[in-house]
């Protein structure tokens, strides 16, 4: 995609990232975009960037953030010791959706996972995100497993 570049996020990007996470009905219920940002966001960000198996990637065009995702590389014993990639917090900012940015981001994540030697890239998405489900299926992701979460707070 012309003009689109990728880079790792910095702490200075947090307001834009949190704003993007809050930019839909589900995100508004769980995120806090007030300034100054809740210090838990900075603490979590520092934990992500301190871990060499984690990356928080921004998609930029013309100097502005147009999307982002978090990618984690997980070693495992199953599947003959295969590594897996886990992608979370996939967002394209409002006004930039349906322009191919999400597909370019996922293709970039797939490339990073292949470079790491991952056998699979996995993700979870809220059951209420029907558009996201269609998008992921279009890119070849399969609904092969049932996921469960246990809220701890």
């Amino acid at each position: 995609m012309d003009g689109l570049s990728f880079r790792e996020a910095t702490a200075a990007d947090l307001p834009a990232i949190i704003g993007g996470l809050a930019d839909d009905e589900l995100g508004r219920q769980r995120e806090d975009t007030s300034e100054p940002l809740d210090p838990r966001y900075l603490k979590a960000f520092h934990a992500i960037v301190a871990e060499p198996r984690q990356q928080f990637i921004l998609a930029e065009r013309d100097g502005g953030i147009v999307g982002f995702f978090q990618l984690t590389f997980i070693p495992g014993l199953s599947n003959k010791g295969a590594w897996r990639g886990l992608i979370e917090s996939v967002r394209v900012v409002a006004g930039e959706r349906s322009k191919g940015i999400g597909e370019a981001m996922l293709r970039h994540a797939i490339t990073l996972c292949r470079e790491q030697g991952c056998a699979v890239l996995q993700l979870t998405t809220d059951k209420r995100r029907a558009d996201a489900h269609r998008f992921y299926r279009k890119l070849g992701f399969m609904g092969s497993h049932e996921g469960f979460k246990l809220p701890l707070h």
Side-chain angles (χ1 to χ4, degrees):
M1 164 168 277
D2 288 340
L4 193 66
S5 62
F6 298 97
R7 69 171 173 87
E8 291 196 43
T10 68
D13 300 312
L14 278 175
I17 292 168
I18 303 311
L21 290 172
D23 189 27
D24 67 13
E25 182 180 332
L26 296 175
R28 278 189 290 280
Q29 296 171 21
R30 60 182 174 227
E31 306 304 342
D32 178 6
T33 59
S34 62
E35 293 284 338
L37 284 179
D38 186 310
R40 292 176 290 185
Y41 287 122
L42 188 58
K43 182 178 179 184
F45 180 78
H46 285 306
I48 291 166
V49 298
E51 169 57 51
R53 292 185 183 137
Q54 302 237 20
Q55 298 179 5
F56 206 101
I57 304 293
L58 301 180
E60 290 185 314
R61 186 169 39 209
D62 300 324
I65 297 169
V66 294
F68 53 82
F69 61 89
Q70 181 179 345
L71 188 60
T72 304
F73 301 113
I74 305 168
L77 292 175
S78 66
N79 196 15
K80 300 179 185 89
W83 282 72
R84 64 188 62 232
L86 173 65
I87 191 167
E88 294 281 336
S89 300
V90 178
R91 297 288 191 285
V92 174
V93 301
E96 297 293 333
R97 296 178 186 135
S98 299
K99 296 180 181 179
I101 294 168
E103 182 172 349
M105 289 179 3
L106 268 288
R107 299 228 181 271
H108 185 66
I110 291 165
T111 297
L112 293 172
C113 286
R114 285 189 172 133
E115 290 172 355
Q116 178 66 36
C118 294
V120 67
L121 174 58
Q122 62 191 31
L123 60 84
T124 60
T125 183
D126 194 288
K127 288 185 176 193
R128 296 169 283 185
R129 295 186 187 276
D131 290 342
H133 301 170
R134 281 189 294 279
F135 169 72
Y136 293 128
R137 284 187 186 100
K138 180 183 98 169
L139 294 179
F141 287 82
M142 298 174 288
S144 62
H145 291 69
E146 185 73 21
F148 297 90
K149 293 187 178 189
L150 175 65
L152 299 176
H153 60 311

